[in-house]
Amino acid sequence: MEFPSPEINAYLHELTPERSEVFSEIEALAAEQNFPIIGPLVGRLLYQLVKISGARHVFELGSGYAYSALWMALALPEGGQVICTELDKAKAELGMKFLESAKLRHKVIYEVGKALDSFARYQGPFDLIFCDLNKHEYPKALEMGVSRLKPGGLFIADNVLWSGRVLDPDDRSPETKGIREFNEKLYAHPELFSTILPIRDGVSVSWKVEVR
């Protein structure tokens, strides 16, 4: 299965306005090093969801070069904060340089180490949690995340359609199994109202139900 449709993907990219120099620099670096980033289609969605939700306190599980963190930090009001997590110290340091270039470094904390270990040190509550770490860790991230999310907050995850591999019954890899389990838990969770958007590699948006 070829997912997403190359024609639709190309059309959406043609519609998308040019980004600032910093975004373009990270996009070029990611392409050169074959490093996965969310790209501008999902980046714009993150920006929009931060703005719509009025988020001020954001936690990101898996940050790489800070591409997605840049989109979210750009949307945050002054005083807002993104906590980033990255295992690779060199990537984290480069991410911080990109944030400095964009004049957004003051909105971001970078935790270097395993994302879930860093997450365990923060109790929240967070207005928005963005999940883009190792796919076999998605179910654990969700379990930890719901309790750290404020009522009315958003839990967002990338790669939830996993290039269509979620549909392959012969794919029993830990990553694909992790995504399938995560998606099932999203829709079954009593505290979440979830939707999967089929843009790029699939993005889930889950709203933590406000109990009245």
Side-chain angles (χ1 to χ4, degrees), residues 48-113:
Q48 194 172 25
L49 290 173
V50 170
K51 286 290 190 184
I52 290 169
S53 67
R56 296 182 64 87
H57 303 291
V58 176
F59 200 100
E60 180 177 50
L61 292 155
S63 300
Y65 302 126
Y67 183 82
S68 47
L70 272 167
W71 280 105
M72 294 188 287
L74 190 63
L76 284 173
E78 285 304 317
Q81 186 176 76
V82 181
I83 300 171
C84 289
T85 54
E86 175 53 46
L87 183 61
D88 187 324
K89 184 179 179 182
K91 285 188 178 69
E93 289 176 347
L94 192 51
M96 286 185 266
K97 287 181 181 177
F98 285 128
L99 288 161
E100 286 170 4
S101 296
K103 297 182 170 40
L104 293 169
R105 180 71 182 88
H106 63 291
K107 291 185 178 181
V108 179
I109 292 174
Y110 242 102
E111 292 280 358
V112 178

Side-chain angles (χ1 to χ4, degrees), residues 177-191:
K177 287 171 66 177
I179 292 291
R180 286 197 195 105
E181 181 185 343
F182 172 81
N183 290 342
E184 289 165 7
K185 289 188 178 214
L186 275 187
Y187 278 88
H189 202 292
E191 294 181 73

Side-chain angles (χ1 to χ4, degrees), residues 4 25 28-29 41 47 55 70 81 93 97 111-112 116 149 153 159 165 190-191 193 209:
E25 190 176 347
L29 176 66
L41 301 185
Y47 177 95
L70 272 167
Q81 186 176 76
E93 289 176 347
K97 287 181 181 177
E111 292 280 358
V112 178
L116 293 182
L149 194 64
N159 306 115
R165 280 172 279 179
E191 294 181 73
F193 188 95
V209 178

Side-chain angles (χ1 to χ4, degrees), residues 131-147:
C131 182
D132 194 16
L133 73 175
N134 293 324
K135 308 314 164 191
H136 68 276
E137 295 181 304
Y138 269 38
K140 181 63 175 177
L142 179 65
E143 177 188 330
M144 294 175 66
V146 173
S147 64

Side-chain angles (χ1 to χ4, degrees), residues 134-206:
N134 293 324
K135 308 314 164 191
H136 68 276
E137 295 181 304
Y138 269 38
K140 181 63 175 177
L142 179 65
E143 177 188 330
M144 294 175 66
V146 173
S147 64
R148 289 167 170 75
L149 194 64
K150 75 167 191 180
L154 298 176
F155 189 103
I156 304 167
D158 193 32
N159 306 115
V160 296
L161 295 179
W162 203 221
S163 300
R165 280 172 279 179
V166 289
L167 299 178
D168 183 355
D170 296 323
D171 190 337
R172 299 182 178 88
S173 67
E175 293 78 15
T176 303
K177 287 171 66 177
I179 292 291
R180 286 197 195 105
E181 181 185 343
F182 172 81
N183 290 342
E184 289 165 7
K185 289 188 178 214
L186 275 187
Y187 278 88
H189 202 292
E191 294 181 73
L192 298 176
F193 188 95
S194 300
T195 301
I196 289 178
L197 306 174
I199 60 169
R200 190 178 163 269
D201 197 25
V203 180
S204 65
V205 180
S206 301

